[in-house]
Amino acid sequence: MSDYVIRSGDRATFLAGLRELIDFLTANPAVAVPRRASIVVLVDASGSAARLEGVTSVAAPLGVPVEDNGRGYFDAGRDFGPISYGVIGIPPKERQ
């Protein structure tokens, strides 16, 4: 078992929701869309090495490097047009 937890949801339900949103926006051109949007997967771990490992496990399939933002935060992301998909390693509450 890993020392990190990825806050992940049900993949099929998430993808169905995205498709539903696309269909709705396509059918309703009067509905405004944002200029940019972000989707973020969160990683919890008490140790810095475990947070890095968790973020790396999500970043690798995206083909992007992990950045160390200091103070125990790690992140990575990839843009798909104006939509950003990323992962963030969150330090323990006492370090936030």
Side-chain angles (χ1 to χ4, degrees), residues 24-76:
F24 175 80
L25 293 174
T26 301
N28 295 280
V31 175
V33 297
R35 196 172 286 196
R36 291 197 52 82
S38 296
I39 298 168
V40 177
V41 175
L42 301 174
V43 175
D44 290 326
S46 59
S48 193
R51 271 192 308 285
L52 177 58
E53 181 183 349
V55 172
T56 300
S57 75
V58 176
L62 291 171
V64 295
V66 174
E67 293 188 29
D68 181 345
N69 296 319
R71 296 188 347 205
Y73 286 87
F74 299 96
D75 73 4

Side-chain angles (χ1 to χ4, degrees), residues 4-42:
Y4 60 85
V5 174
I6 296 176
R7 293 190 199 170
S8 183
D10 179 274
R11 182 180 188 83
T13 300
F14 181 81
L15 294 176
L18 287 176
R19 289 184 185 98
E20 185 177 339
L21 175 61
I22 291 166
D23 291 345
F24 175 80
L25 293 174
T26 301
N28 295 280
V31 175
V33 297
R35 196 172 286 196
R36 291 197 52 82
S38 296
I39 298 168
V40 177
V41 175
L42 301 174

